[in-house]
Amino acid sequence: MNIRTAKRWFLWHKWTSLICTIFMLMLCITGLPLIFHEELDRLLEKQVVAEVPEGARKMSLDSLAILAGKQYPAEKIRYIFWDNDDKSKVIFDLAAKPDAPPEGSRYATLNAYTGAVLGKPTTDGIMDIILKIHMNMFLGIGGKLFLGLMGILFVIAIVSGVVLYGRIMKKYDFGMVRKYKSNRLKWLDTHNLIGIVTLTWASVVGLTGVINTLSDVIVALWQQGQLKEMVAPYANQQPLTGTLSSLDSAMATARKAAPHMEPGIVTYPGTMFSSKHHYAVFMRGNTALTSRLLMPALIDAKTGTLTDARTMPWYVNTLFLSEPLHFGDYGGMPLKIIWALFDLGTIIVLITGLYLWFARRRAASQQWSRLTEKAVYEDEE
């Protein structure tokens, strides 16, 4: 690599790092507690256990929906989903309108066996606030896309840093830290070493983070693509009126369409994940990997018959798989600890990068001052 090429890589690394470092530092700091969000949620929030009487059977979903509706008489159910850690809990999302924004949601958690109300989850706890900062800095889709851009710059900074480190290692041993030189050189070597150690993790988390920031775009593509094709026969029909068909019947129909899967989410007609004529039952697999992938089964909400059921497009599945990988949710506590250690290492890389930039500027400023003083002195002579 010649001097000109090396300088070009250095400038790429310098400016992409400078632009994204503060935001990546914020993401790493807020991401650290989010790695352990399940454990912290249990610690910070009162957990209500769904007690199951001996010999009890699950209540029908239609009966549970009636009980949930009584909690908010002015609202309508639009989503139903199940607690990941306790299948005895059923959570209902209610809002004034099916297409109301997420901020308009109210929740009711019921015991699937007794119908007892277990609580009304809130969305303003400390972990929810941290998650919103991490996702979009409270700036909606604009904040999401901005952080996605910062993620792209972060990946470019990683690539350019690897290229520069490879050039340095041609002259020195791998992992070298010049402890007895200047502080700036010591921190430069430390920055480079930890950066290489965390390289793979930072790349994976950076790329999955960029994908996650595109979630709204990906959902919109799915709505205008596959979902639109699936509901095309109903495009010219009037919206449903009157009583909808049985939820339990819709669930049974969805199970027949995907016998080796289980329901994950049920969406009502008129929501953004369905049509004005269908229940959408999103089925998921039973393994750690396939449980992250969803298959929508559309059930005519008037007749209870299956309209269509398809696997999601690759770009939606990529989103589904990237989110848990981003937070280290695939391998239990051991993987979470590894994720946390790499997160701390990346925080050190980001902080030392800022220190090196300020130290370089200070050294350049001091050198300029010395040259200026020397020039003045020579003029006086």
Side-chain angles (χ1 to χ4, degrees), residues 25 28-29 32 342-352:
L25 192 56
C28 285
I29 292 172
L32 194 56
F342 278 117
D343 191 304
L344 290 170
T346 304
I347 289 173
I348 294 173
V349 172
L350 294 168
I351 292 174
T352 53

Side-chain angles (χ1 to χ4, degrees), residues 88-101:
S88 301
K89 295 179 180 179
V90 185
I91 303 170
F92 292 82
D93 177 316
L94 302 92
K97 298 187 299 181
D99 58 352

Side-chain angles (χ1 to χ4, degrees), residues 22-40 126-137 147 201 205-206 208-209 212 323-329 335-347 350:
I22 294 297
F23 298 100
M24 298 312 300
L25 192 56
M26 177 274 291
L27 290 173
C28 285
I29 292 172
T30 55
L32 194 56
L34 290 174
I35 294 172
F36 304 100
H37 67 96
E38 293 175 348
E39 293 75 14
L40 289 172
I126 182 63
M127 295 305 297
D128 296 297
I129 293 172
I130 292 173
L131 178 61
K132 289 175 182 176
I133 294 172
H134 188 85
M135 287 177 57
N136 57 28
M137 303 182 295
L147 290 177
W201 180 88
V205 171
T208 53
N212 290 339
E323 183 174 343
L325 183 60
H326 185 73
F327 291 109
D329 279 351
L335 185 61
K336 289 185 178 185
I337 293 173
I338 293 172
W339 243 238
L341 292 174
F342 278 117
D343 191 304
L344 290 170
T346 304
I347 289 173
L350 294 168

Side-chain angles (χ1 to χ4, degrees), residues 3 165-174 176 178:
I3 300 289
Y165 189 68
R167 184 171 183 267
I168 294 172
M169 285 303 99
K170 289 180 179 180
K171 300 179 181 179
Y172 301 100
D173 294 331
F174 176 79
M176 166 273 303
R178 290 166 284 186

Side-chain angles (χ1 to χ4, degrees), residues 241-315:
T241 57
T243 305
L244 302 180
S245 63
S246 166
L247 279 169
D248 295 285
S249 175
M251 293 283 283
T253 301
R255 288 181 186 276
K256 287 181 182 179
H260 302 296
M261 305 178 80
E262 61 181 22
I265 306 170
V266 179
T267 71
Y268 271 61
T271 61
M272 63 184 299
F273 301 107
S274 183
S275 76
K276 294 181 179 180
H277 305 88
H278 295 88
Y279 292 119
V281 182
F282 288 84
M283 308 296 287
R284 62 186 177 191
N286 299 306
T287 67
L289 181 62
T290 59
S291 65
R292 309 290 182 173
L293 303 176
L294 300 177
M295 186 188 84
L298 296 185
I299 314 297
D300 188 305
K302 194 68 175 178
T303 65
T305 58
L306 178 70
T307 296
D308 203 343
R310 304 185 190 182
T311 56
M312 287 285 204
W314 66 269
Y315 53 87

